[in-house]
Structure formats: structure tokens, C-alpha cells
């Protein structure tokens, strides 16, 4: 859904030079993504206070109903409304994902800053550790952490945070390395600014947008991890309406033919992830137009 | 008038330009006449140097991983014996509990446990799985072939599929085909793999009833037959391949779009070569080199995908065993499988580096690290 309305007019000759597209504001995928995210954000914020969801409510008379006017996306195997539960699930998953992304960004930011600004041997040592963490498959490590502790939001946050800070560390380090040799930083150092002052006054303002972008892009990934762990039965406690738990519950009734109880919650992962990816790409292009890729997103 | 490639006018060398891309190990030294012997020994030496460098990094890494696992297990609030006994823990004689504890060696100091475990590991003894009541080595030996079968089939399918899709999209850049492929790749990247798996089960196993929904063989069959396994493999392998492919499709597309603009492609077109030859022999070939390292770097994702796909399709491999081990807090099995996963990543990196060393002379001459 990303490419369709992109501005580059169909290039007749594949080998031709890239068409220079006139850019007048964001293109429609970007607008659509923003609208979708805004709508989901509103739903997540407003629906829970307005419509109460009894987590334990079981209504076997309306179990496994297909989508209808009363239940737009059907009911699950114990009669709970799938749409309402999905919104609640998105809320839980989003909160867990956001906290996990923030945790990994804080760890990664500090590590990257330390590596980039210290340089030399400490830098090489730190980057070896980063390489090491990258070498352990994320989900496997996450599974291990959760398995050793009880299935709880904290365990999920820790398992995602501890495995995903390496990206942020790399980004921050490389930014710091490139900033270090810029004239304004050299001038500050020549002027007698201390290491801490250089970091605070000159590096941090430049790092902030990059780190923020990395955080935003990390949230869907963290949500993905939460849902994957929950889907495996290793994430959030089973009674919580989280998207992963819902897919896990609905998995059993899928073979009986009711697709909505497992496939609908998945859409609540897919759609926001796609929207964030589109917006993130747009933002990255604006941060650094030179890196604008051939993918017209 | 079309000139055959052997008489190209002008400075553009016709067939050779991207040869670093696809040239295999045996071809690379031959391409440089004069000192083939020295070249090949240089290749061997740089391969050895690279492998040594990687191994020097791998040993401390694996040690750190095992130490980390033991530290986590030590910090765990779970009592493995209680976990093992389940409901029976209430009625079991405390003396029996103590005996189990002593048998597992978990009544001793953690450092001693760690040292024993490491020593046994070096001797090839991975301990016993507490949930499956089998030696861990036997569990892995029984399940690893199935995982290797499924993942290698998925890799082949993923490579073939993304090469074709990516090259097609680049060749017809801006067309509806390109848009469908790129849009599909982005949507695919956003879809969780377990969701894709369930979708595939619903469409192909429940609705169309073409393929079995899971397992290795038919529930009624008693023997493992090739055709039966093949039918059960189709869905998991395809889902795994598709879920891993979107990134590669986009990569191939971007790479080929870039090379289609190069002089040698224009040259090939100008000489009147067929479009397919230009695309496959010239553009695609030279876009392939970075592919090798990227593939090695994708092993962690592949492990992740295998865990989820094997679980969704009840595929009896090692990846789904790790979920089973985690659910039953089976430390010996989970630790061995985590170590195996890390080994796979390290091995993937090593293979990628080796392929790169073989394919690109610059890496060989300038060295690594």
C-alpha cells in the first residue's frame, strides 16, 4: 500500500536517471499512515474509559459468533467481543512496547554515547560487547529471560529491553563519531569546554532527533516481541487482553473455521506497524535527505 | 548490426565488469593470469586469518552466553524441582525432593554447577532434559535434522523468490507490478510471522483443505514417508520463506535499480543484447555481492522465524523444542538450545565472511578486522 500514489511518474525506461519529483508536502501514504495512527491512538485512549471491558466476562451463549452488526468483528470462544478486546489488547501491547523501547533506547543511548565519546580502547571493548549481544538471537534470549522469571509485563519489558539496545548504541555511537570532528565541537573543545559540557550542549541536541526516531521505530518491534512471547505462552499473564494472548487463544478455534478471533488481533499489530514504518521512513528522509532511498515510500 | 561481445568498440569492457559479483572460488584466481598459485595461497591464508579472528571472538562470546544463562537461572525465583514435580510437589516426601536436588546437582554452589556443566559440555554431555526425560543430546539429534530440512528449504525458496521478485520490480520500476511487489514487501515486513502462519493455515488447510495444518506426518500414519513429510512441509517452509523475504526483495530491487543505471548496463543495451541477458547477466549479477554478507547477518532473524513457525505448525524441530523447554522451565534443554542458536549465528557470520573473502579480492588483499 506504500508505493501506489508515489509521485515519481512511471519511468518508461528502467535505466533512465531518477525522476526528480516535485515535493509539495507529504504524499498520501504518509497522510494515511498518520490518520490511521491518530485514529488508533484515539481509540486506545478513549474506548477503555468509555466502554468497560470485564476481563473475566464469559458469555457462552454468544461464543464464537461470526462478525455481525452487534459484534462487528465477531466474538471469541468464550463470547467476548473481538473488536473491543483488540482495542484493549492494543493498549496493553502499546504500553509494554513503549516502555520496552524506552528502556532499550536509554541503555543503547548511554552505551553508544560512552563508546563514541570515550573512543580508543574503551570504544572497541564496548563495541565487542555490542557485537556479542547482537550474536544471540533476540527471541531465543527473550524466551530464556521470560522462562526464568514468571510471565509478567516486567519480564517482557526486561527481555525486550535487554536484547534490543544494540541498534540504538550503534546509531548513537556513529553519530557521536561524526559529530566529534565537526568544527563547532572542535571549537568548543578548543575553547576549553569540558567533556560533559560538550556532550550536554553540543552532542545531545544533535542526537535527540535520531534517538527519538529510533525509539519510534523500535516501538512496533517491541510490540512484535511482546505479542510473539505472549503468543508462545511466555509473555503477559494469560488473563490479560493482550494481542498475543488473543491470537494464542484464537489459534485453537481457527481449525473450526472462525478466523476472526485469531486473525483480527493480528491486524491490530500489522496496521500500526506498517503506519509507523511509513511515517518513520518519511521522518528519516527529512532528517537526512541525502539518504533518501530509491524506494519511494 | 549487432556485434558479438568479443569485438566491443570503445573502452567499456563488455562481459567482465561485474565479475566480482558472481564469480565463484574457483573462478576468481583464474581471472588473474600470471600468479595463480600465489593468489590461491593468499586466499587460503586470508580465509584462515579471518576464521581465526572470528573464532577468537566466538569463544569468549559463547562463554559469556553460558555464564549469563547461569546467572539468570540463579536469579530465577522458580524452584526447578517444584516446577518439575508440579502438583505432586505438595505430596512428595521432602527427602525425595532433596534426592532429586542432589541428583541434578543444584544443591551445590552455583560456580561449581557452572564448572561441572561446562566440563560436561566440553566432553559432549549436555545433561538430561527435565521435561522430556531424555538426554539433551538425544533430543537435539532427533530434532535438529527436521529444523535443518525446513530452514534450508526455506532459505532456498526465499533466495529464489526474492531474487525474481526484486529483479522484476527493479526492471519495471514504477509499474503496477513494482508497486504490488514493494507494497506487498512492506506489508509482509509488518505482519507477524505467527499471524502469517495462522492465515496460511486458515486459507490452505481449513478453507481449501489442500494441505495439512501441522505436524510432520499424518496423524494416522505410523511411518515417516517422504511424500507425507513433503506435504506437511509446504506450509511451514513457504511461510518461513515469505516472512524472511521482504527485506531481501527490497534490497535486491534497490540494488538492481542502481546497477541498471551503470555504464556497463547501458553498454550491454547499446550492443543490442537481449533484455533478459542484460537484467540477469549484467545487472543482477553485480548486485549480488553484498547479498552474501546480508544472508549471514540474517541468521538471527531466521532463528526467530523458525521458533515461531515451528510452533505454529507443530513442526518437531529444535526451535519448537526451545518453546517447550521454556514453558516447562527445563534449564538444561533451554540452555543447550540457546547455545545452539548462538552457534548458528556465529556460524552464519563466519560463512558470510568466508563467502565475501572468496568473492571479493579487495577483502582478501586489505584484510579484515
Amino acid at each position: 500500500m506504500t508505493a501506489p500514489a508515489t509521485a515519481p511518474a512511471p519511468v518508461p525506461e528502467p535505466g533512465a536517471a531518477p525522476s526528480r519529483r516535485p515535493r509539495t508536502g507529504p504524499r498520501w501514504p504518509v497522510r494515511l499512515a498518520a490518520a490511521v495512527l491518530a485514529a488508533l491512538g484515539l481509540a486506545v485512549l478513549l474506548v477503555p474509559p468509555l466502554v468497560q471491558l470485564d476481563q473475566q466476562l464469559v458469555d457462552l451463549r454468544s461464543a464464537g459468533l461470526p462478525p455481525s452488526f452487534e459484534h462487528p468483528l465477531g466474538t471469541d470462544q468464550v463470547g467476548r467481543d473481538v473488536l473491543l478486546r483488540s482495542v484493549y489488547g492494543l493498549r496493553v501491547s502499546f504500553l509494554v512496547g513503549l516502555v520496552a523501547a524506552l528502556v532499550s533506547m536509554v541503555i543503547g543511548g548511554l552505551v553508544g554515547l560512552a563508546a563514541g565519546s570515550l573512543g580508543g580502547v574503551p570504544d572497541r571493548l564496548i563495541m565487542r560487547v555490542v557485537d556479542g549481544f547482537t550474536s544471540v538471537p533476540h527471541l531465543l534470549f527473550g524466551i530464556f529471560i521470560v522462562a526464568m522469571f514468571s510471565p509478567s509485563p516486567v519480564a517482557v519489558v526486561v527481555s525486550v529491553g535487554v536484547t534490543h539496545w544494540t541498534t540504538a548504541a550503534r546509531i548513537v555511537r556513529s553519530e557521536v563519531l561524526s559529530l566529534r570532528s565537526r568544527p563547532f565541537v572542535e571549537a568548543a573543545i578548543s575553547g576549553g569546554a569540558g567533556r560533559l559540557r560538550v556532550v550536554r550542549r553540543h552532542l545531545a541536541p544533535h542526537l535527540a532527533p535520531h534517538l527519538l526516531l529510533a525509539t519510534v521505530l523500535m516501538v512496533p518491534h517491541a510490540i512484535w516481541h511482546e505479542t510473539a512471547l505472549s503468543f508462545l505462552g511466555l509473555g503477559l499473564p494469560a488473563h490479560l487482553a493482550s494481542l498475543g494472548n488473543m491470537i494464542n487463544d484464537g489459534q485453537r478455534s481457527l481449525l473450526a473455521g472462525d478466523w476472526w478471533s485469531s486473525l483480527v488481533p493480528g491486524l491490530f499489530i500489522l496496521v500500526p506497524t506498517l503506519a509507523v514504518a511509513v511515517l518513520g521512513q518519511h521522518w528519516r528522509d527529512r532528517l537526512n535527505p541525502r539518504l533518501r532511498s530509491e524506494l519511494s515510500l | 548490426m549487432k556485434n558479438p561481445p568479443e569485438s566491443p568498440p570503445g573502452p567499456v569492457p563488455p562481459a567482465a565488469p561485474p565479475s566480482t559479483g558472481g564469480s565463484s572460488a574457483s573462478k576468481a584466481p583464474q581471472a588473474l593470469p600470471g600468479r595463480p598459485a600465489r593468489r590461491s595461497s593468499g586466499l587460503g591464508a586470508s580465509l584462515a586469518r579471518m576464521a581465526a579472528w572470528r573464532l577468537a571472538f566466538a569463544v569468549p562470546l559463547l562463554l559469556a552466553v553460558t555464564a549469563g544463562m547461569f546467572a539468570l537461572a540463579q536469579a530465577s525465583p522458580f524452584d526447578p524441582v517444584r516446577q518439575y514435580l508440579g502438583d505432586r510437589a505438595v505430596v512428595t516426601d521432602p527427602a525425595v525432593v532433596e534426592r532429586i536436588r542432589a541428583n541434578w546437582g543444584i544443591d551445590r554452589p552455583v560456580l561449581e554447577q557452572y564448572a561441572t556443566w561446562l566440563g560436561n559440555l566440553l566432553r559432549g554431555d549436555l545433561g538430561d532434559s527435565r521435561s522430556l526425560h531424555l538426554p539433551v543430546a538425544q533430543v537435539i539429534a532427533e530434532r535438529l535434522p527436521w529444523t535443518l530440512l525446513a530452514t534450508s528449504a526455506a532459505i532456498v525458496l526465499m533466495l529464489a523468490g526474492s531474487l525474481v521478485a526484486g529483479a522484476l520490480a527493479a526492471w519495471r520500476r514504477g509499474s503496477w507490478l513494482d508497486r504490488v511487489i514493494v507494497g506487498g514487501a512492506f506489508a509482509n515486513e509488518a505482519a507477524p510471522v505467527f499471524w502469517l502462519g495462522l492465515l496460511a493455515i486458515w486459507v490452505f488447510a481449513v478453507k481449501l483443505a489442500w494441505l495439512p495444518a501441522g505436524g510432520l506426518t499424518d496423524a494416522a500414519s505410523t511411518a515417516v514417508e517422504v511424500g507425507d513429510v513433503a506435504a506437511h512441509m509446504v506450509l511451514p517452509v513457504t511461510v518461513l520463506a515469505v516472512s524472511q523475504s521482504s527485506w531481501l526483495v527490497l534490497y535486491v530491487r534497490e540494488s538492481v535499480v542502481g546497477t541498471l543505471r551503470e555504464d556497463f548496463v547501458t553498454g550491454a543495451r547499446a550492443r543490442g543484447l537481449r533484455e533478459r541477458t542484460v537484467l540477469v547477466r549484467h545487472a543482477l549479477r553485480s548486485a549480488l555481492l553484498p547479498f552474501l554478507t546480508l544472508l549471514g547477518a540474517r541468521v538471527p532473524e531466521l532463528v526467530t522465524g523458525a521458533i515461531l513457525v515451528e510452533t505454529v505448525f507443530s513442526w518437531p524441530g529444535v526451535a519448537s523444542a526451545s518453546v517447550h523447554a521454556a514453558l516447562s522451565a527445563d534449564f538444561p534443554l533451554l540452555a543447550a538450545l540457546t547455545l545452539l542458536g548462538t552457534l548458528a549465528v556465529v556460524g552464519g557470520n563466519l560463512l558470510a565472511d568466508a563467502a565475501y573473502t572468496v568473492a571479493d579480492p579487495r577483502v582478501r588483499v586489505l584484510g579484515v578486522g
Side-chain angles (χ1 to χ4, degrees):
Chain A
M1 63 158 284
T2 49
T6 45
V11 183
E13 244 187 307
S19 61
R20 213 163 278 139
R21 48 175 182 263
R23 291 173 63 88
T24 53
R27 281 151 295 138
W28 77 257
V30 178
R31 289 160 193 251
L32 181 68
V36 165
L37 276 188
L40 283 174
L42 275 182
V44 161
L45 279 180
L46 294 182
V47 169
L50 294 179
V51 191
Q52 291 300 314
L53 173 72
D54 187 352
Q55 296 274 0
Q56 317 300 337
L57 180 77
V58 171
D59 180 6
L60 290 176
R61 276 168 307 171
S62 57
L65 292 179
S68 64
F69 186 72
E70 202 180 344
H71 300 288
L73 292 171
T75 59
D76 67 2
Q77 58 278 14
V78 288
R80 296 171 295 197
D81 186 75
V82 171
L83 176 62
L84 187 58
R85 249 173 94 77
S86 294
V87 172
Y88 266 85
L90 186 61
R91 182 180 154 107
V92 170
S93 299
F94 177 72
L95 272 180
V96 172
L98 185 67
V99 176
L102 284 176
V103 167
S104 65
M105 284 306 133
V106 169
I107 302 177
L110 290 177
V111 171
L113 198 59
S117 49
L118 291 177
V121 176
D123 175 35
R124 293 178 66 172
L125 275 179
I126 291 173
M127 290 326 281
R128 288 298 103 177
V129 174
V130 170
D131 284 348
F133 264 91
T134 324
S135 299
V136 187
H138 289 168
L139 187 64
L140 202 50
F141 196 29
I143 285 176
F144 191 93
I145 294 176
V146 178
M148 288 299 133
F149 300 90
S150 52
S152 69
V154 176
V156 173
V157 164
V158 168
S159 97
V160 177
V162 164
T163 48
H164 286 81
W165 54 272
T166 52
T167 332
R170 286 224 170 88
I171 294 172
V172 169
R173 174 179 172 270
S174 69
E175 277 299 315
V176 170
L177 285 184
S178 94
L179 285 171
R180 265 170 57 149
S181 55
R182 303 270 180 88
F184 65 89
V185 175
E186 283 176 357
I189 294 173
S190 311
R195 185 163 272 178
L196 210 63
R197 183 181 162 80
V198 170
V199 167
R200 216 180 49 227
R201 289 276 307 181
H202 300 283
L203 299 187
H206 278 87
L207 293 174
H210 292 275
L211 208 52
L212 200 58
L213 173 62
T215 312
V216 170
L217 290 180
M218 182 56 77
V219 171
H221 193 72
I223 291 179
W224 183 94
H225 259 267
E226 181 274 308
T227 46
L229 286 172
S230 298
F231 170 75
L232 295 174
L234 291 160
L236 300 178
H239 65 271
L240 260 180
S242 97
L243 294 171
N245 283 340
M246 291 177 68
I247 300 178
N248 190 11
D249 288 343
Q251 190 184 6
R252 266 157 273 155
S253 47
L254 183 72
L255 289 178
D258 42 353
W259 51 271
W260 52 90
S261 55
S262 56
L263 296 185
V264 166
L267 284 178
F268 276 78
I269 307 172
L270 198 162
V271 171
T273 306
L274 194 54
V276 170
V278 170
L279 283 181
Q281 186 82 17
H282 179 66
W283 193 357
R284 187 157 34 198
D285 287 351
R286 295 191 47 170
L287 269 185
N288 194 348
R290 268 179 310 166
L291 288 184
R292 188 171 293 148
S293 69
E294 280 296 326
L295 290 168
S296 37
L297 177 73
Chain B
M1 181 201 152
K2 288 175 191 169
N3 273 338
E6 60 261 24
S7 59
V12 184
S19 65
T20 40
S23 62
S24 61
S26 59
K27 244 175 129 183
Q30 284 166 11
L32 300 151
R35 299 174 296 175
R38 212 187 133 215
R39 279 284 161 187
S40 65
S41 77
L43 175 63
S46 54
L47 269 180
R49 200 169 54 228
M50 188 272 304
W53 178 254
R54 277 284 176 194
L55 285 180
F57 177 55
V59 172
L61 169 73
L62 293 175
L63 269 179
V65 169
T66 54
M69 288 191 299
F70 261 81
L72 280 172
Q74 194 58 29
S76 160
F78 289 147
D79 178 358
V81 180
R82 276 193 82 88
Q83 204 80 12
Y84 169 74
L85 291 172
D87 293 341
R88 288 170 296 162
V90 194
V91 292
T92 308
D93 184 3
V96 176
V97 173
E98 281 315 305
R99 195 137 25 104
I100 297 177
R101 223 177 271 281
N103 271 345
W104 288 354
I106 54 177
D107 53 346
R108 272 167 281 160
V110 63
L111 280 179
E112 193 187 327
Q113 285 182 44
Y114 180 50
T116 317
W117 189 81
L118 265 189
N120 287 341
L121 181 70
L122 289 180
R123 267 179 271 123
D125 177 9
L126 295 170
D128 291 329
S129 158
R130 290 168 194 165
S131 61
L132 298 171
H133 308 285
L134 286 171
V136 170
Q138 189 187 335
V139 174
I140 293 180
E142 278 171 9
R143 285 172 164 258
L144 190 58
W146 296 122
T147 295
L148 289 180
L149 177 70
T151 44
S152 49
I155 290 176
V156 171
L157 189 63
M158 166 188 82
L159 280 181
S162 23
L163 279 180
V164 171
L168 275 180
W171 182 48
R172 286 276 172 254
R173 189 156 78 99
S175 70
W176 63 266
L177 182 69
D178 180 24
R179 290 172 185 182
V180 167
I181 291 177
V182 171
F186 270 94
N188 182 26
E189 183 79 358
V193 53
F194 46 96
W195 184 80
L196 274 185
L198 292 178
L199 185 66
I201 288 181
W202 182 62
V203 172
F204 295 105
V206 178
K207 280 282 142 187
L208 300 172
W210 286 352
L211 291 161
L216 177 66
T217 53
D218 205 64
S221 77
T222 48
V224 178
E225 283 165 27
V226 176
D228 199 13
V229 172
H232 282 78
M233 249 176 78
V234 175
L235 281 185
V237 166
T238 314
V239 167
L240 186 55
V242 166
S243 73
Q244 300 288 315
S245 65
S246 49
W247 204 73
L248 288 175
V249 169
L250 295 177
Y251 174 78
V252 171
R253 177 188 177 276
E254 193 150 1
S255 187
V256 173
V257 162
T259 45
L260 276 175
R261 250 189 261 131
E262 301 269 344
D263 287 345
F264 63 83
V265 173
T266 317
R269 282 222 175 85
R271 293 198 314 278
L273 295 182
R274 273 187 311 165
E275 194 60 28
R276 204 183 71 189
T277 316
V278 173
L279 184 66
V280 176
R281 296 288 298 271
H282 292 73
L284 189 59
R285 195 175 168 192
S286 67
L288 276 187
L289 178 60
F291 219 72
L292 301 168
T293 36
L294 292 176
L295 200 61
R298 291 294 285 181
V299 174
E301 314 290 323
L302 203 61
V303 173
T304 299
I307 291 173
L308 292 165
V309 168
E310 285 192 0
T311 306
V312 169
F313 291 98
S314 318
W315 186 257
V318 279
S320 59
S322 67
V323 176
H324 173 86
L327 284 171
S328 42
D330 183 351
F331 177 78
L333 184 57
L334 189 55
L337 291 176
T338 308
L339 203 56
L340 190 67
T342 312
L343 264 180
V345 174
V346 172
N349 286 340
L350 186 65
L351 276 182
D353 279 357
Y356 216 68
T357 312
V358 168
D360 190 342
R362 284 167 302 178
V363 178
R364 218 176 309 152
V365 175
L366 301 176
V368 284

